[in-house]
Amino acid sequence: MYLKINGDLNKYYLQTVCMLFFPGATFSESETEDAQESAEFTRCDVDGGVSVTCRFRIGDSAAEASKTQLCDDIRGFDEGITEPMTRAAKVAAGLAALEAGNALFGCRPAWGILTGIRPAKIASELISKRDENGARVFSSEQARNVLARDYLVSPKKAALAVEIARSEQKIIRLAADGAPFTCSVYVSIPFCPSRCSYCSFVSYSTKRLLSLLPEYLLRVCEDARILLTHLRERGFKVQTVYIGGGTPTTLTEAQLGILLGTIADNIPIKKLNEFTLEGGRPDTITKEKLQIAKDFGVTRTSINPQTMNDDILKAIGRRHTVADFMRAFDAAREVGIPEINTDLIAGLPGDGYRGFSRSLDKIVRLEPENITVHTFCVKKSAEILRLDTEIYNRSADETVKAVDYSQVKLKNSGYNPYYIYRQKNTVGNLENVGYAKKGSVGYYNVLMMEELHSVFAVGAGAVTKLVRMGDDGKKYIERMFEPKYPYEYLSEDRAAQMAEKIRRIDEFFGI
Protein backbone atom coordinates (compact mmCIF):
# COMPACT_ATOMS: atom_id res chain seq x y z
CA MET A 1 0.00 0.00 0.00
CA TYR A 2 1.04 3.63 -0.52
CA LEU A 3 2.08 5.32 2.72
CA LYS A 4 2.51 9.10 2.75
CA ILE A 5 3.95 10.84 5.81
CA ASN A 6 3.82 14.60 6.26
CA GLY A 7 5.94 15.81 9.15
CA ASP A 8 8.12 14.14 11.77
CA LEU A 9 6.39 10.82 12.50
CA ASN A 10 7.81 7.37 13.19
CA LYS A 11 7.46 5.45 9.91
CA TYR A 12 7.78 2.02 11.51
CA TYR A 13 5.03 2.75 14.04
CA LEU A 14 2.74 4.08 11.31
CA GLN A 15 3.28 0.89 9.31
CA THR A 16 2.32 -1.25 12.30
CA VAL A 17 -0.79 0.88 12.86
CA CYS A 18 -1.76 0.49 9.19
CA MET A 19 -1.38 -3.29 9.49
CA LEU A 20 -4.09 -3.33 12.13
CA PHE A 21 -6.55 -2.64 9.31
CA PHE A 22 -4.53 -3.81 6.27
CA PRO A 23 -3.03 -7.14 7.47
CA GLY A 24 -0.25 -8.49 5.32
CA ALA A 25 0.35 -5.11 3.70
CA THR A 26 3.64 -4.18 2.10
CA PHE A 27 4.50 -0.51 1.91
CA SER A 28 5.60 1.88 -0.81
CA GLU A 29 6.48 5.56 -0.55
CA SER A 30 5.64 6.20 -4.21
CA GLU A 31 2.04 6.24 -5.41
CA THR A 32 0.96 4.34 -8.54
CA GLU A 33 -2.25 4.75 -10.53
CA ASP A 34 -3.47 1.24 -9.74
CA ALA A 35 -2.76 1.44 -5.99
CA GLN A 36 -5.91 0.19 -4.23
CA GLU A 37 -4.85 0.99 -0.67
CA SER A 38 -3.27 4.10 0.80
CA ALA A 39 -2.66 5.82 4.12
CA GLU A 40 -1.66 9.41 4.75
CA PHE A 41 -0.55 10.86 8.09
CA THR A 42 -0.01 14.57 8.70
CA ARG A 43 1.55 16.02 11.85
CA CYS A 44 0.87 19.53 13.14
CA ASP A 45 2.39 20.77 16.40
CA VAL A 46 0.06 22.67 18.72
CA ASP A 47 0.56 24.41 22.03
CA GLY A 48 1.64 21.75 24.49
CA GLY A 49 1.20 18.79 22.17
CA VAL A 50 0.73 17.34 18.70
CA SER A 51 -2.19 16.96 16.31
CA VAL A 52 -2.16 14.16 13.71
CA THR A 53 -4.59 13.55 10.86
CA CYS A 54 -4.92 10.07 9.35
CA ARG A 55 -6.64 9.28 6.06
CA PHE A 56 -7.19 5.65 4.99
CA ARG A 57 -8.37 4.65 1.52
CA ILE A 58 -9.29 1.31 -0.02
CA GLY A 59 -10.59 1.39 -3.57
CA ASP A 60 -13.13 4.20 -3.84
CA SER A 61 -13.85 4.34 -0.09
CA ALA A 62 -11.98 6.55 2.36
CA ALA A 63 -12.16 7.83 5.94
CA GLU A 64 -10.28 10.53 7.81
CA ALA A 65 -9.80 11.45 11.47
CA SER A 66 -7.73 13.92 13.48
CA LYS A 67 -6.57 13.63 17.08
CA THR A 68 -4.65 15.97 19.38
CA GLN A 69 -2.48 14.66 22.19
CA LEU A 70 -1.07 16.93 24.91
CA CYS A 71 2.31 15.96 26.32
CA ASP A 72 1.14 16.26 29.93
CA ASP A 73 -1.73 13.81 29.40
CA ILE A 74 0.40 10.78 28.51
CA ARG A 75 0.62 8.11 31.18
CA GLY A 76 2.83 5.15 30.35
CA PHE A 77 3.49 4.61 26.65
CA ASP A 78 7.22 5.21 26.98
CA GLU A 79 8.55 2.26 24.91
CA GLY A 80 12.03 3.75 24.94
CA ILE A 81 10.85 7.23 23.89
CA THR A 82 11.81 10.01 26.29
CA GLU A 83 11.12 13.15 24.23
CA PRO A 84 7.58 14.33 25.15
CA MET A 85 6.60 15.67 21.72
CA THR A 86 7.72 12.46 20.04
CA ARG A 87 5.61 10.43 22.46
CA ALA A 88 2.63 12.73 21.93
CA ALA A 89 2.96 12.40 18.15
CA LYS A 90 2.96 8.61 18.42
CA VAL A 91 -0.14 8.52 20.59
CA ALA A 92 -1.99 11.04 18.42
CA ALA A 93 -1.17 9.08 15.26
CA GLY A 94 -2.43 5.86 16.81
CA LEU A 95 -5.67 7.40 18.02
CA ALA A 96 -6.34 9.05 14.64
CA ALA A 97 -5.66 5.77 12.82
CA LEU A 98 -8.05 3.84 15.06
CA GLU A 99 -10.86 6.32 14.49
CA ALA A 100 -10.30 6.38 10.72
CA GLY A 101 -10.00 2.60 10.54
CA ASN A 102 -13.15 2.10 12.58
CA ALA A 103 -15.05 4.47 10.29
CA LEU A 104 -13.83 2.71 7.16
CA PHE A 105 -14.00 -0.94 8.25
CA GLY A 106 -16.40 -0.95 11.19
CA CYS A 107 -13.99 -2.61 13.60
CA ARG A 108 -11.74 -1.56 16.46
CA PRO A 109 -8.64 -3.61 17.42
CA ALA A 110 -8.89 -5.12 20.88
CA TRP A 111 -5.43 -3.81 21.81
CA GLY A 112 -6.22 -0.27 20.74
CA ILE A 113 -3.13 1.71 19.75
CA LEU A 114 -0.71 -0.72 21.42
CA THR A 115 1.05 -2.26 18.43
CA GLY A 116 4.34 -3.45 19.97
CA ILE A 117 5.27 -7.00 20.85
CA ARG A 118 4.99 -6.26 24.59
CA PRO A 119 1.42 -5.14 25.31
CA ALA A 120 1.86 -5.53 29.06
CA LYS A 121 4.72 -3.02 29.16
CA ILE A 122 2.58 0.04 29.84
CA ALA A 123 0.55 -1.83 32.45
CA SER A 124 3.82 -2.78 34.16
CA GLU A 125 5.02 0.83 34.09
CA LEU A 126 1.75 2.02 35.61
CA ILE A 127 1.48 -0.44 38.48
CA SER A 128 5.18 -0.15 39.41
CA LYS A 129 5.17 3.68 39.51
CA ARG A 130 5.71 5.07 43.03
CA ASP A 131 5.33 8.50 44.57
CA GLU A 132 7.96 10.24 46.71
CA ASN A 133 6.78 8.24 49.75
CA GLY A 134 7.12 4.92 47.98
CA ALA A 135 3.37 4.37 47.63
CA ARG A 136 1.87 3.05 44.41
CA VAL A 137 0.50 5.76 42.13
CA PHE A 138 -1.88 3.45 40.26
CA SER A 139 -3.92 0.56 41.63
CA SER A 140 -4.66 -2.36 39.31
CA GLU A 141 -8.12 -0.96 38.64
CA GLN A 142 -6.72 2.47 37.82
CA ALA A 143 -4.14 0.93 35.47
CA ARG A 144 -6.91 -0.93 33.65
CA ASN A 145 -8.86 2.30 33.32
CA VAL A 146 -5.86 4.15 31.86
CA LEU A 147 -5.34 1.44 29.24
CA ALA A 148 -9.01 1.48 28.28
CA ARG A 149 -9.50 5.26 28.30
CA ASP A 150 -6.18 6.57 26.97
CA TYR A 151 -5.11 3.78 24.62
CA LEU A 152 -8.51 2.35 23.64
CA VAL A 153 -7.63 -1.15 24.84
CA SER A 154 -10.71 -3.33 25.35
CA PRO A 155 -11.64 -4.01 29.00
CA LYS A 156 -10.82 -7.73 28.60
CA LYS A 157 -7.36 -7.05 27.22
CA ALA A 158 -6.69 -4.30 29.75
CA ALA A 159 -7.48 -6.71 32.59
CA LEU A 160 -5.26 -9.37 31.00
CA ALA A 161 -2.34 -6.94 30.61
CA VAL A 162 -2.53 -5.80 34.22
CA GLU A 163 -2.77 -9.35 35.57
CA ILE A 164 0.30 -10.38 33.57
CA ALA A 165 2.18 -7.27 34.63
CA ARG A 166 1.56 -8.15 38.27
CA SER A 167 2.87 -11.67 37.67
CA GLU A 168 5.96 -10.25 35.99
CA GLN A 169 6.79 -8.18 39.07
CA LYS A 170 7.66 -11.39 40.90
CA ILE A 171 9.99 -12.48 38.10
CA ILE A 172 11.61 -9.04 38.09
CA ARG A 173 12.56 -9.65 41.70
CA LEU A 174 14.16 -12.95 40.64
CA ALA A 175 16.26 -11.17 38.01
CA ALA A 176 17.37 -8.63 40.61
CA ASP A 177 18.78 -11.39 42.82
CA GLY A 178 22.51 -11.05 42.26
CA ALA A 179 22.22 -8.15 39.79
CA PRO A 180 23.93 -6.86 37.71
CA PHE A 181 25.46 -10.24 36.82
CA THR A 182 22.40 -12.44 36.67
CA CYS A 183 21.79 -13.88 33.20
CA SER A 184 20.24 -16.58 31.05
CA VAL A 185 21.79 -18.77 28.36
CA TYR A 186 20.20 -19.70 25.04
CA VAL A 187 21.46 -22.49 22.77
CA SER A 188 20.15 -22.60 19.19
CA ILE A 189 19.53 -25.91 17.40
CA PRO A 190 17.90 -24.62 14.17
CA PHE A 191 16.93 -27.96 12.63
CA CYS A 192 13.50 -29.57 12.17
CA PRO A 193 12.33 -32.92 10.77
CA SER A 194 10.00 -31.03 8.40
CA ARG A 195 8.85 -27.47 7.84
CA CYS A 196 5.41 -26.27 8.91
CA SER A 197 3.58 -24.39 6.15
CA TYR A 198 3.15 -21.27 8.32
CA CYS A 199 6.73 -21.18 9.65
CA SER A 200 9.31 -18.50 8.84
CA PHE A 201 11.95 -19.34 11.44
CA VAL A 202 15.43 -20.12 10.23
CA SER A 203 15.26 -23.89 10.59
CA TYR A 204 16.50 -26.65 8.33
CA SER A 205 14.76 -29.84 7.36
CA THR A 206 16.23 -31.19 4.09
CA LYS A 207 18.52 -34.21 4.19
CA ARG A 208 21.44 -32.17 2.88
CA LEU A 209 21.08 -29.53 5.56
CA LEU A 210 20.39 -32.07 8.30
CA SER A 211 23.71 -33.67 7.35
CA LEU A 212 25.37 -30.59 8.88
CA LEU A 213 24.09 -31.56 12.32
CA PRO A 214 27.11 -33.58 13.57
CA GLU A 215 29.59 -30.83 12.67
CA TYR A 216 27.21 -28.14 13.92
CA LEU A 217 26.80 -29.89 17.27
CA LEU A 218 30.55 -30.03 17.86
CA ARG A 219 30.91 -26.35 17.04
CA VAL A 220 28.01 -25.16 19.18
CA CYS A 221 29.24 -27.27 22.12
CA GLU A 222 32.71 -25.73 21.86
CA ASP A 223 31.23 -22.22 21.71
CA ALA A 224 29.03 -23.00 24.71
CA ARG A 225 32.02 -24.29 26.67
CA ILE A 226 34.05 -21.13 25.94
CA LEU A 227 31.15 -18.82 26.77
CA LEU A 228 30.09 -20.59 29.96
CA THR A 229 33.67 -20.77 31.21
CA HIS A 230 34.02 -17.03 30.70
CA LEU A 231 30.73 -16.26 32.45
CA ARG A 232 31.78 -18.38 35.41
CA GLU A 233 35.19 -16.69 35.64
CA ARG A 234 33.57 -13.23 35.49
CA GLY A 235 31.12 -14.03 38.28
CA PHE A 236 27.89 -14.21 36.28
CA LYS A 237 25.03 -16.12 37.90
CA VAL A 238 23.15 -18.17 35.30
CA GLN A 239 19.51 -18.41 36.37
CA THR A 240 17.92 -20.14 33.36
CA VAL A 241 19.07 -22.16 30.36
CA TYR A 242 16.90 -22.55 27.26
CA ILE A 243 17.71 -24.92 24.40
CA GLY A 244 15.54 -23.90 21.45
CA GLY A 245 15.32 -24.07 17.70
CA GLY A 246 14.08 -25.33 15.38
CA THR A 247 13.48 -28.52 17.21
CA PRO A 248 16.35 -29.54 19.53
CA THR A 249 14.93 -33.05 19.87
CA THR A 250 15.82 -33.55 16.20
CA LEU A 251 19.15 -34.56 17.76
CA THR A 252 19.71 -38.28 18.32
CA GLU A 253 19.92 -39.65 21.84
CA ALA A 254 23.73 -39.66 21.65
CA GLN A 255 23.87 -36.12 20.26
CA LEU A 256 21.48 -34.83 22.89
CA GLY A 257 23.64 -36.38 25.58
CA ILE A 258 26.72 -34.60 24.21
CA LEU A 259 24.96 -31.22 24.20
CA LEU A 260 23.41 -31.53 27.66
CA GLY A 261 26.64 -32.95 29.05
CA THR A 262 28.56 -29.92 27.81
CA ILE A 263 26.14 -27.61 29.59
CA ALA A 264 26.13 -29.68 32.79
CA ASP A 265 29.95 -29.69 32.86
CA ASN A 266 30.08 -25.89 32.79
CA ILE A 267 27.07 -24.73 34.84
CA PRO A 268 25.97 -25.72 38.36
CA ILE A 269 22.71 -27.22 37.11
CA LYS A 270 21.20 -27.66 40.54
CA LYS A 271 21.41 -23.91 41.17
CA LEU A 272 19.38 -23.03 38.05
CA ASN A 273 15.86 -21.72 38.48
CA GLU A 274 14.89 -23.36 35.19
CA PHE A 275 16.43 -25.59 32.52
CA THR A 276 14.29 -25.91 29.37
CA LEU A 277 14.63 -28.31 26.46
CA GLU A 278 12.21 -27.39 23.70
CA GLY A 279 10.79 -30.55 22.13
CA GLY A 280 8.00 -29.02 20.13
CA ARG A 281 7.53 -31.76 17.58
CA PRO A 282 6.16 -34.95 19.18
CA ASP A 283 7.48 -37.04 16.27
CA THR A 284 11.06 -36.24 17.37
CA ILE A 285 10.55 -37.17 21.02
CA THR A 286 11.42 -40.57 22.48
CA LYS A 287 11.32 -41.77 26.05
CA GLU A 288 15.08 -42.31 25.84
CA LYS A 289 15.69 -38.66 24.93
CA LEU A 290 13.46 -37.51 27.76
CA GLN A 291 15.31 -39.75 30.21
CA ILE A 292 18.63 -38.27 29.09
CA ALA A 293 17.18 -34.80 29.58
CA LYS A 294 15.95 -35.66 33.06
CA ASP A 295 19.31 -37.20 34.01
CA PHE A 296 21.13 -34.00 33.00
CA GLY A 297 18.81 -31.80 35.05
CA VAL A 298 16.25 -30.52 32.54
CA THR A 299 13.26 -29.20 34.49
CA ARG A 300 10.99 -28.04 31.68
CA THR A 301 10.10 -29.23 28.20
CA SER A 302 7.65 -28.28 25.47
CA ILE A 303 5.59 -30.91 23.68
CA ASN A 304 3.36 -29.09 21.24
CA PRO A 305 0.27 -30.52 19.57
CA GLN A 306 -0.80 -27.14 18.03
CA THR A 307 -4.21 -28.75 17.56
CA MET A 308 -5.79 -32.06 18.54
CA ASN A 309 -7.18 -32.58 15.02
CA ASP A 310 -5.19 -34.86 12.70
CA ASP A 311 -6.67 -33.40 9.51
CA ILE A 312 -5.58 -29.89 10.43
CA LEU A 313 -2.13 -31.11 11.48
CA LYS A 314 -1.69 -32.64 8.05
CA ALA A 315 -2.92 -29.50 6.31
CA ILE A 316 -0.38 -27.27 8.07
CA GLY A 317 2.55 -29.56 7.40
CA ARG A 318 3.00 -31.15 10.81
CA ARG A 319 4.16 -34.74 10.38
CA HIS A 320 2.91 -35.94 13.71
CA THR A 321 -0.50 -37.11 14.82
CA VAL A 322 -2.53 -36.62 17.96
CA ALA A 323 -1.49 -40.15 18.96
CA ASP A 324 2.18 -39.14 18.61
CA PHE A 325 1.57 -36.20 20.92
CA MET A 326 -0.14 -38.38 23.53
CA ARG A 327 2.71 -40.89 23.39
CA ALA A 328 5.33 -38.15 23.90
CA PHE A 329 3.35 -36.46 26.66
CA ASP A 330 2.87 -39.73 28.56
CA ALA A 331 6.60 -40.49 28.20
CA ALA A 332 7.51 -37.12 29.73
CA ARG A 333 5.20 -37.84 32.65
CA GLU A 334 6.66 -41.33 33.13
CA VAL A 335 10.24 -40.04 33.06
CA GLY A 336 9.38 -37.31 35.55
CA ILE A 337 10.16 -34.05 33.78
CA PRO A 338 8.85 -31.59 36.40
CA GLU A 339 7.15 -29.13 34.04
CA ILE A 340 5.57 -29.74 30.64
CA ASN A 341 4.40 -26.96 28.35
CA THR A 342 1.98 -27.53 25.49
CA ASP A 343 1.29 -25.05 22.68
CA LEU A 344 -2.05 -24.61 20.95
CA ILE A 345 -2.77 -22.24 18.05
CA ALA A 346 -6.09 -20.42 17.70
CA GLY A 347 -7.15 -19.52 14.17
CA LEU A 348 -5.41 -22.26 12.20
CA PRO A 349 -6.77 -22.63 8.65
CA GLY A 350 -9.81 -24.89 8.78
CA ASP A 351 -10.06 -24.73 12.57
CA GLY A 352 -12.85 -22.62 14.06
CA TYR A 353 -14.01 -21.87 17.56
CA ARG A 354 -15.54 -25.29 18.17
CA GLY A 355 -12.49 -27.18 16.95
CA PHE A 356 -10.09 -25.06 19.02
CA SER A 357 -12.22 -25.30 22.16
CA ARG A 358 -12.33 -29.10 21.84
CA SER A 359 -8.54 -29.18 21.53
CA LEU A 360 -8.11 -26.96 24.56
CA ASP A 361 -10.52 -29.03 26.64
CA LYS A 362 -8.51 -32.18 25.85
CA ILE A 363 -5.23 -30.51 26.80
CA VAL A 364 -6.64 -29.17 30.07
CA ARG A 365 -7.68 -32.70 31.04
CA LEU A 366 -4.02 -33.75 30.73
CA GLU A 367 -3.06 -31.09 33.28
CA PRO A 368 0.29 -29.90 31.88
CA GLU A 369 2.00 -27.33 34.07
CA ASN A 370 2.08 -24.74 31.27
CA ILE A 371 -0.29 -24.10 28.37
CA THR A 372 0.62 -21.48 25.78
CA VAL A 373 -2.15 -20.20 23.52
CA HIS A 374 -0.82 -18.69 20.30
CA THR A 375 -2.82 -16.81 17.70
CA PHE A 376 -2.20 -17.96 14.14
CA CYS A 377 0.40 -15.76 12.50
CA VAL A 378 1.73 -15.93 8.96
CA LYS A 379 5.00 -14.31 7.96
CA LYS A 380 5.50 -13.10 4.42
CA SER A 381 8.03 -15.86 3.68
CA ALA A 382 5.78 -18.71 4.87
CA GLU A 383 4.95 -21.52 2.42
CA ILE A 384 1.23 -21.32 3.19
CA LEU A 385 0.93 -17.96 1.40
CA ARG A 386 1.72 -19.67 -1.91
CA LEU A 387 -1.15 -22.05 -1.27
CA ASP A 388 -3.65 -19.55 0.14
CA THR A 389 -2.99 -15.95 -0.87
CA GLU A 390 -6.22 -14.77 0.77
CA ILE A 391 -5.30 -16.08 4.20
CA TYR A 392 -4.85 -12.58 5.64
CA ASN A 393 -8.43 -11.71 4.69
CA ARG A 394 -10.20 -14.36 6.71
CA SER A 395 -12.76 -13.25 9.29
CA ALA A 396 -11.34 -13.13 12.80
CA ASP A 397 -14.65 -13.66 14.60
CA GLU A 398 -14.07 -17.37 15.24
CA THR A 399 -10.51 -16.74 16.43
CA VAL A 400 -11.59 -13.96 18.78
CA LYS A 401 -14.14 -16.33 20.32
CA ALA A 402 -11.48 -19.05 20.61
CA VAL A 403 -9.00 -16.77 22.37
CA ASP A 404 -11.69 -15.44 24.71
CA TYR A 405 -12.71 -19.00 25.51
CA SER A 406 -9.11 -19.95 26.33
CA GLN A 407 -8.81 -17.10 28.81
CA VAL A 408 -11.95 -18.12 30.70
CA LYS A 409 -11.39 -21.88 30.48
CA LEU A 410 -7.81 -21.75 31.68
CA LYS A 411 -8.54 -19.38 34.56
CA ASN A 412 -11.34 -21.65 35.72
CA SER A 413 -9.01 -24.65 35.45
CA GLY A 414 -6.33 -23.21 37.74
CA TYR A 415 -4.03 -21.64 35.15
CA ASN A 416 -2.93 -18.02 35.46
CA PRO A 417 -1.58 -15.86 32.61
CA TYR A 418 2.03 -14.82 33.21
CA TYR A 419 3.57 -14.08 29.82
CA ILE A 420 2.37 -12.26 26.72
CA TYR A 421 3.72 -11.10 23.40
CA ARG A 422 2.34 -10.14 20.02
CA GLN A 423 3.45 -10.57 16.42
CA LYS A 424 2.61 -8.83 13.18
CA ASN A 425 -0.05 -10.35 10.95
CA THR A 426 -1.80 -12.38 13.61
CA VAL A 427 -5.44 -13.18 12.98
CA GLY A 428 -7.51 -10.42 14.55
CA ASN A 429 -4.35 -8.64 15.76
CA LEU A 430 -4.54 -10.90 18.80
CA GLU A 431 -1.89 -12.10 21.22
CA ASN A 432 0.10 -15.11 22.43
CA VAL A 433 -0.28 -15.87 26.13
CA GLY A 434 1.48 -18.30 28.44
CA TYR A 435 -0.61 -19.77 31.26
CA ALA A 436 0.79 -21.69 34.22
CA LYS A 437 -0.31 -23.51 37.29
CA LYS A 438 0.79 -21.92 40.56
CA GLY A 439 4.57 -22.17 40.95
CA SER A 440 5.17 -23.27 37.34
CA VAL A 441 5.77 -20.11 35.34
CA GLY A 442 8.30 -20.27 32.50
CA TYR A 443 10.93 -17.84 33.79
CA TYR A 444 13.08 -17.62 30.68
CA ASN A 445 10.23 -16.38 28.51
CA VAL A 446 9.60 -13.38 30.74
CA LEU A 447 13.25 -12.62 31.47
CA MET A 448 14.04 -12.57 27.76
CA MET A 449 10.97 -10.73 26.49
CA GLU A 450 11.00 -8.06 29.19
CA GLU A 451 14.79 -7.56 28.91
CA LEU A 452 15.21 -8.04 32.65
CA HIS A 453 18.77 -9.30 32.38
CA SER A 454 21.36 -10.41 29.83
CA VAL A 455 20.77 -13.43 27.62
CA PHE A 456 23.97 -15.00 26.30
CA ALA A 457 23.38 -17.07 23.17
CA VAL A 458 25.30 -19.50 20.98
CA GLY A 459 24.39 -21.16 17.69
CA ALA A 460 23.22 -20.11 14.24
CA GLY A 461 20.59 -17.39 14.26
CA ALA A 462 21.02 -16.76 17.99
CA VAL A 463 21.08 -13.26 19.45
CA THR A 464 23.00 -12.32 22.57
CA LYS A 465 21.27 -9.46 24.38
CA LEU A 466 23.42 -7.60 26.89
CA VAL A 467 21.50 -5.63 29.52
CA ARG A 468 22.79 -3.38 32.27
CA MET A 469 21.59 -0.41 34.30
CA GLY A 470 23.76 2.68 34.05
CA ASP A 471 24.70 5.01 36.87
CA ASP A 472 22.16 7.42 35.39
CA GLY A 473 19.34 4.95 36.08
CA LYS A 474 18.81 4.15 32.40
CA LYS A 475 18.76 0.65 30.95
CA TYR A 476 21.42 -0.01 28.32
CA ILE A 477 21.02 -2.83 25.80
CA GLU A 478 23.38 -4.14 23.15
CA ARG A 479 22.71 -7.04 20.77
CA MET A 480 25.21 -9.38 19.15
CA PHE A 481 24.00 -11.51 16.25
CA GLU A 482 25.36 -14.92 15.30
CA PRO A 483 25.46 -15.88 11.59
CA LYS A 484 21.92 -16.60 10.43
CA TYR A 485 22.49 -19.91 8.65
CA PRO A 486 24.26 -23.04 9.95
CA TYR A 487 26.59 -23.22 6.95
CA GLU A 488 27.65 -19.60 7.62
CA TYR A 489 28.10 -20.40 11.29
CA LEU A 490 30.32 -23.36 10.40
CA SER A 491 32.36 -21.51 7.79
CA GLU A 492 33.44 -18.66 10.09
CA ASP A 493 36.65 -18.54 12.08
CA ARG A 494 34.83 -19.37 15.26
CA ALA A 495 37.87 -18.92 17.52
CA ALA A 496 38.22 -15.34 16.32
CA GLN A 497 34.48 -14.74 16.51
CA MET A 498 34.26 -16.02 20.08
CA ALA A 499 37.27 -13.95 21.12
CA GLU A 500 35.60 -10.83 19.74
CA LYS A 501 32.33 -11.76 21.46
CA ILE A 502 34.10 -12.14 24.81
CA ARG A 503 35.85 -8.80 24.30
CA ARG A 504 32.55 -7.01 23.62
CA ILE A 505 30.91 -8.59 26.67
CA ASP A 506 33.72 -7.42 28.94
CA GLU A 507 33.69 -3.97 27.39
CA PHE A 508 29.92 -3.60 27.82
CA PHE A 509 30.07 -4.48 31.51
CA GLY A 510 33.34 -2.65 32.13
CA ILE A 511 35.06 -5.80 33.34
Side-chain angles (χ1 to χ4, degrees):
M1 67 181 300
Y2 171 54
L3 174 61
K4 184 178 181 180
I5 303 173
N6 304 307
D8 185 12
L9 292 167
N10 185 304
K11 181 172 71 172
Y12 177 76
Y13 178 69
L14 297 185
Q15 290 176 344
T16 59
V17 168
C18 289
M19 291 172 70
L20 297 177
F21 298 100
F22 301 88
T26 56
F27 296 91
S28 171
E29 295 180 19
S30 58
E31 188 171 18
T32 60
E33 291 184 3
D34 59 347
Q36 292 297 302
E37 300 172 343
S38 67
E40 182 174 0
F41 291 84
T42 302
R43 169 176 170 164
C44 179
D45 292 353
V46 300
D47 187 23
V50 178
S51 178
V52 175
T53 298
C54 169
R55 185 177 189 274
F56 285 144
R57 180 185 63 82
I58 182 167
D60 296 327
S61 300
E64 181 176 300
S66 297
K67 289 293 180 180
T68 298
Q69 180 64 52
L70 300 180
C71 296
D72 292 342
D73 290 343
I74 299 175
R75 289 174 284 190
F77 210 72
D78 189 313
E79 296 197 5
I81 299 172
T82 57
E83 205 282 308
M85 290 291 279
T86 302
R87 291 161 54 206
K90 190 173 183 180
V91 174
L95 294 173
L98 255 65
E99 185 168 315
N102 187 39
L104 187 58
F105 297 101
C107 64
R108 186 182 295 275
W111 285 103
I113 65 173
L114 303 187
T115 63
I117 64 172
R118 300 160 60 190
K121 184 176 187 297
I122 294 178
S124 182
E125 291 173 353
L126 290 169
I127 65 171
S128 56
K129 189 174 183 179
R130 305 275 181 168
D131 62 19
E132 62 274 10
N133 298 316
R136 290 189 184 275
V137 175
F138 295 99
S139 66
S140 293
E141 182 179 0
Q142 289 170 327
R144 291 194 297 269
N145 290 339
V146 169
L147 290 172
R149 182 183 64 247
D150 296 356
Y151 305 108
L152 305 185
V153 178
S154 75
K156 287 182 181 178
K157 300 306 181 188
L160 178 65
V162 171
E163 183 173 5
I164 290 174
R166 291 182 64 85
S167 174
E168 288 176 352
Q169 297 299 309
K170 300 175 183 178
I171 300 175
I172 289 172
R173 291 193 287 272
L174 169 71
D177 180 21
F181 289 149
T182 62
C183 65
S184 291
V185 171
Y186 178 84
V187 180
S188 171
I189 307 296
F191 298 86
C192 286
S194 63
R195 190 177 182 87
C196 300
S197 60
Y198 54 83
C199 182
S200 67
F201 285 108
V202 178
S203 57
Y204 298 88
S205 57
T206 68
K207 288 184 178 180
R208 182 178 68 83
L209 291 169
L210 286 170
S211 69
L212 297 174
L213 246 178
E215 184 182 0
Y216 179 87
L217 177 64
L218 293 177
R219 184 63 56 85
V220 82
C221 283
E222 177 61 12
D223 283 359
R225 184 191 63 77
I226 293 170
L227 176 64
L228 296 176
T229 298
H230 186 75
L231 295 181
R232 184 174 64 251
E233 291 173 349
R234 290 294 190 264
F236 282 90
K237 178 183 177 182
V238 180
Q239 293 183 322
T240 74
V241 174
Y242 194 103
I243 303 175
T247 307
T249 44
T250 301
L251 298 171
T252 66
E253 283 90 348
Q255 290 170 335
L256 184 61
I258 291 170
L259 176 61
L260 296 177
T262 299
I263 294 170
D265 288 343
N266 291 279
I267 289 180
I269 298 298
K270 291 184 179 180
K271 293 184 179 181
L272 291 175
N273 294 98
E274 181 179 272
F275 187 0
T276 298
L277 173 67
E278 189 176 295
R281 303 287 287 267
D283 46 326
T284 67
I285 297 172
T286 66
K287 189 173 183 179
E288 290 75 17
K289 291 179 185 179
L290 292 169
Q291 186 63 61
I292 291 168
K294 178 68 163 53
D295 292 344
F296 277 108
V298 168
T299 61
R300 185 175 182 272
T301 191
S302 291
I303 304 173
N304 301 331
Q306 314 298 43
T307 173
M308 298 293 275
N309 183 310
D310 282 337
D311 291 335
I312 294 173
L313 287 172
K314 184 177 180 180
I316 62 176
R318 301 282 285 193
R319 293 188 179 176
H320 68 84
T321 64
V322 174
D324 291 329
F325 164 74
M326 292 300 301
R327 172 192 53 76
F329 186 93
D330 290 343
R333 278 284 184 252
E334 292 173 18
V335 165
I337 301 291
E339 295 182 7
I340 301 174
N341 173 75
T342 60
D343 284 4
L344 287 175
I345 301 178
L348 285 169
D351 194 20
Y353 162 71
R354 291 186 181 277
F356 174 84
S357 60
R358 284 195 293 266
S359 292
L360 181 62
D361 291 347
K362 291 176 182 178
I363 294 298
V364 167
R365 286 196 289 270
L366 295 175
E367 297 187 355
E369 285 67 33
N370 290 180
I371 298 176
T372 305
V373 177
H374 296 266
T375 305
F376 183 58
C377 172
V378 179
K379 301 293 186 178
K380 293 182 177 65
S381 59
E383 172 69 15
I384 198 168
L385 285 181
R386 292 200 309 108
L387 306 174
D388 184 0
T389 57
E390 298 300 312
I391 198 164
Y392 286 130
N393 298 324
R394 293 182 299 112
S395 169
D397 292 347
E398 289 283 295
T399 307
V400 170
K401 287 175 59 180
V403 170
D404 286 348
Y405 176 78
S406 69
Q407 189 173 345
V408 174
K409 174 69 177 181
L410 290 169
K411 285 283 291 181
N412 290 340
S413 301
Y415 293 87
N416 295 311
Y418 73 94
Y419 164 60
I420 186 170
Y421 70 100
R422 296 177 66 208
Q423 296 168 281
K424 296 179 186 176
N425 296 324
T426 56
V427 174
N429 301 302
L430 296 169
E431 66 279 354
N432 307 314
V433 180
Y435 296 84
K437 291 185 175 181
K438 186 176 181 179
S440 298
V441 300
Y443 289 114
Y444 172 84
N445 291 327
V446 178
L447 293 169
M448 178 272 298
M449 183 62 66
E450 298 301 320
E451 298 170 335
L452 298 178
H453 68 195
S454 296
V455 177
F456 297 96
V458 295
V463 180
T464 289
K465 185 186 296 183
L466 305 179
V467 180
R468 67 175 174 83
M469 296 299 297
D471 295 336
D472 55 4
K474 296 180 181 179
K475 182 184 290 185
Y476 290 86
I477 298 174
E478 181 177 328
R479 292 171 174 82
M480 294 187 288
F481 297 85
E482 296 290 348
K484 187 174 182 179
Y485 302 103
Y487 59 82
E488 293 177 332
Y489 181 78
L490 293 172
S491 65
E492 281 198 345
D493 181 348
R494 293 305 303 163
Q497 290 294 319
M498 285 301 296
E500 173 62 14
K501 186 173 187 174
I502 296 299
R503 184 197 68 76
R504 289 179 62 185
I505 291 170
D506 286 355
E507 181 180 67
F508 181 83
F509 289 101
I511 300 174

